[in-house]
């Protein structure tokens, strides 16, 4: 087995990933369970395992729709996870399951951290943007956690770097994608830079195409992905191999 083949494990994340803890960051993009499609079945029981697999300073970025988050709201709490913030990924085209609803051109990614850890102890390198616009929020002092917003916290450093906006427009890999719900690696890069220190270990519990593996290689983080479909796991390994030089750092 090469170092590369260790990057993506084929199997059920509930069995595979807890043994590889602790993770500095977990990325989870499970089936949302929003449709009757055969592959779109909600996975149960993984949230408490993921929470326990996080370092105290770690956090979990979970992809989903509002519908899927509402369905697991109690489970998230019971697993010991606390909400931190969310971003909206806006894409150039969308999925239209209903003719009588808005065309859906976005996905949510929500960050959670361990409820037994204060937010101030969570690794959080908030990202700034070089292409600031008047609408871009200025960097503030370390922001309070939601629910503790007080007058006086919002003191901006005029002329300083600007915080990245929470709505991120990025084209999806339409046409080039190797997975039907593939996320763009640049989007994952933003989350990884924010929530995992250099050299830290990212666990990608529902790896699909391995897009997060590519993002880890490009940002200098270690990566361990898990994908239940062995054919997709092979494709993801090949995809990462095209980015990673052989022996380019195995996940520990
Ligand atoms: C929404 S897709 C992930 C797409 C991925 N983020 C990407 O950018 O390519 C969800 C993936 O989770 C996989 N999956 C479903 N149940 C799983 C489980 N119990 N353990 C690991 N992977 C699972 C599916 O086969 C599918 O490829």
């Amino acid at each position: 087995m090469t170092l590369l083949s260790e990057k993506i494990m084929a199997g059920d994340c509930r069995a595979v990933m807890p043994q590889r803890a602790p993770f500095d960051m977990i990325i989870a993009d499970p089936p949302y369970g929003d449709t009757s499609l055969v592959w779109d079945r909600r996975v149960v029981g993984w949230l408490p395992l993921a929470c326990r697999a996080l370092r105290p300073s770690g956090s979990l970025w979970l992809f989903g729709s509002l519908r899927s988050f509402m369905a697991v709201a109690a489970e998230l709490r019971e697993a010991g996870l606390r909400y931190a913030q969310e971003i909206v990924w806006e894409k150039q085209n969308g999925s239209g399951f209903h003719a009588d609803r808005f065309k859906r051109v976005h996905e949510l990614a929500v960050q959670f951290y361990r409820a037994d850890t204060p937010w101030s102890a969570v690794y959080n390198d908030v990202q700034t943007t070089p292409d600031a616009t008047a609408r871009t929020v200025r960097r503030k002092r370390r922001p309070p956690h939601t629910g503790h917003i007080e007058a006086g916290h919002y003191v901006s450093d005029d002329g300083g770097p600007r915080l990245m906006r929470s709505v991120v427009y990025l084209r999806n890999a339409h046409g080039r994608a190797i997975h039907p719900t593939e996320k763009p690696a640049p989007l994952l890069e933003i989350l990884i830079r924010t929530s995992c220190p250099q050299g830290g270990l990212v666990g990608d519990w529902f790896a699909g195409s391995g897009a997060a593996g590519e993002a880890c290689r490009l940002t200098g983080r270690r990566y361990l992905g898990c994908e239940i479909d062995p054919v997709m796991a092979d494709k993801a390994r090949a995809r990462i191999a095209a980015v990673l030089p052989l022996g380019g750092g195995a996940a520990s």
Side-chain angles (χ1 to χ4, degrees):
M1 189 187 286
T2 68
L3 292 177
L4 281 176
S5 69
E6 292 175 12
K7 297 282 183 178
I8 297 251
M9 318 275 290
D12 188 323
C13 61
R14 293 167 290 192
V16 169
M17 297 302 259
Q19 303 165 25
R20 311 298 290 247
F23 297 99
D24 294 281
M25 173 188 188
I26 292 177
I27 294 176
D29 183 16
Y32 295 180
D34 284 350
T35 68
S36 54
L37 296 169
V38 178
W39 52 265
D40 193 20
R41 294 278 182 275
R42 197 162 281 138
V43 179
V44 294
W46 68 274
L47 281 166
L49 302 173
C51 183
R52 285 199 286 277
L54 276 176
R55 276 190 201 284
S57 59
S59 62
L60 160 72
W61 278 94
L62 175 59
F63 280 85
S65 61
L66 186 54
R67 181 196 286 259
S68 71
F69 282 108
M70 289 193 304
V72 297
E75 234 181 282
L76 283 158
R77 252 192 326 276
E78 283 156 20
L81 290 162
R82 185 174 286 163
Y83 163 88
Q85 60 177 327
E86 84 272 8
I87 63 152
V88 175
W89 167 40
E90 182 189 357
K91 44 195 172 176
Q92 84 278 17
N93 57 11
S95 44
F97 291 120
H98 304 281
D100 59 348
R101 317 266 166 104
F102 287 95
K103 180 170 174 151
R104 187 182 155 81
V105 291
H106 73 280
E107 310 288 334
L108 297 174
V110 182
Q111 184 187 25
F112 296 90
Y113 63 103
R114 286 173 40 160
D116 61 1
T117 304
W119 170 244
S120 57
V122 175
Y123 182 86
N124 180 43
D125 182 12
V126 64
Q127 297 296 288
T128 54
T129 176
D131 58 344
T133 68
R135 290 168 65 211
T136 312
V137 183
R138 288 181 183 147
R139 180 191 280 282
K140 313 289 193 310
R141 301 208 176 105
R142 187 176 175 93
H145 188 263
T146 306
H148 303 277
I149 296 170
E150 298 155 21
H153 272 296
Y154 284 81
V155 181
S156 64
D157 300 327
D158 255 350
R162 309 291 179 92
L163 291 186
M164 185 166 272
R165 287 161 54 85
S166 61
V167 177
V168 181
Y169 175 79
L170 277 170
R171 297 180 68 79
N172 59 20
H174 190 66
R176 292 171 287 116
I178 59 171
H179 189 285
T181 60
E182 187 169 325
K183 304 298 176 290
L187 178 72
L188 298 164
E189 271 188 51
I190 293 169
L191 303 184
I192 289 165
R193 286 183 200 283
T194 302
S195 301
C196 183
Q198 273 284 339
L201 178 62
V202 174
D204 183 13
W205 285 43
F206 301 87
S209 67
E214 179 175 323
C216 281
R217 174 63 180 107
L218 296 172
T219 56
R221 274 71 171 175
R222 291 173 297 132
Y223 174 76
L224 181 68
C226 181
E227 169 54 47
I228 204 163
D229 173 355
V231 175
M232 184 51 67
D234 276 346
K235 288 187 189 172
R237 281 189 202 106
R239 180 234 184 106
I240 296 172
V243 180
L244 276 172
L246 256 181
S252 58

